């Protein structure tokens, strides 16, 4: 029995803010479907060259008040990055809170505007300790 990964779906409240967040991570829109009848949009975003591994942003046009404030029941998305310090600095410079800083040079967590946890993992070996990350405390939860 063959199995093939297709995508991960997350519901979003503010499509523009959510897309901007995933664009900061480096994802690009690869496909979109708007349903007039169902009153929703599906936007697929993936890293360049990895279009087969998208996250699907599901946006309900009439709002989505049933979304919880804390989406911990979901778990998290995970992406490897070439330089975790550079990525965290880029995200922080664009207003994203680093919930779990990469103190170990290996792993960090941030959250999307819809409280989806995103794990960032250093590709290859962990980077050596560097400030401000090495002494930065965690913020909130991830």
């Amino acid at each position: 029995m063959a199995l093939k990964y297709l995508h991960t779906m997350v519901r979003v409240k503010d499509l523009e803010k959510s897309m901007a967040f995933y664009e900061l991570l480096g994802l690009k829109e690869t496909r979109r479907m708007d349903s007039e009848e169902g009153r929703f949009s599906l936007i697929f975003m993936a890293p360049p060259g990895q279009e087969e591994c998208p996250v699907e942003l599901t946006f309900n046009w009439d709002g989505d008040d049933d979304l919880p404030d804390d989406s911990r029941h979901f778990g998290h998305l995970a992406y490897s990055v070439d330089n975790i310090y550079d990525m965290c600095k880029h995200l922080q410079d664009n207003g994203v809170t680093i919930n779990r800083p990469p103190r170990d040079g290996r792993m960090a967590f941030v959250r999307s505007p819809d409280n989806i946890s995103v794990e960032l993992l250093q590709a290859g070996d962990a980077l050596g300790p560097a400030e401000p990350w090495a002494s930065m405390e965690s913020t909130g939860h991830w």
Side-chain angles (χ1 to χ4, degrees):
M1 225 175 166
L3 181 71
K4 179 183 177 186
Y5 172 81
L6 295 179
H7 63 267
T8 299
M9 182 276 267
V10 295
R11 290 169 32 203
V12 302
K13 286 186 179 184
D14 186 320
L15 184 58
E16 289 181 22
K17 281 185 182 177
S18 293
M19 288 183 69
F21 171 80
Y22 290 103
E23 287 169 356
L24 284 173
L25 289 174
L27 280 66
K28 303 292 181 203
E29 182 177 332
T30 60
R31 186 165 45 114
R32 177 185 292 249
M33 186 195 89
D34 295 315
S35 172
E36 289 282 341
E37 183 179 317
R39 302 199 44 76
F40 65 87
S41 295
L42 306 178
I43 293 82
F44 292 83
M45 299 184 75
Q50 299 176 53
E51 289 76 16
E52 73 282 5
C53 299
V55 60
E56 172 193 322
L57 306 181
T58 298
F59 175 69
N60 292 312
W61 298 355
D62 298 320
D64 209 339
D65 294 331
D66 291 336
L67 280 178
D69 289 338
D70 182 354
S71 297
R72 293 294 294 165
H73 63 279
F74 169 77
H76 64 266
L77 300 173
Y79 295 98
S80 67
V81 297
D82 290 334
N83 185 304
I84 197 159
Y85 297 142
D86 289 348
M87 175 58 82
C88 286
K89 175 82 169 113
H90 168 68
L91 294 172
Q92 192 176 52
D93 287 349
N94 283 279
V96 175
T97 299
I98 309 300
N99 299 103
R100 195 276 192 195
R103 290 183 292 273
D104 55 5
R106 172 95 184 117
M107 177 181 67
F109 275 88
V110 296
R111 284 185 168 246
S112 77
D114 298 288
N115 278 324
I116 301 298
S117 287
V118 178
E119 179 181 21
L120 305 172
L121 292 168
Q122 174 63 41
D125 294 333
L127 301 180
E131 293 298 339
W133 314 112
S135 60
M136 186 181 288
E137 294 293 321
S138 294
T139 301
H141 57 278
W142 55 90

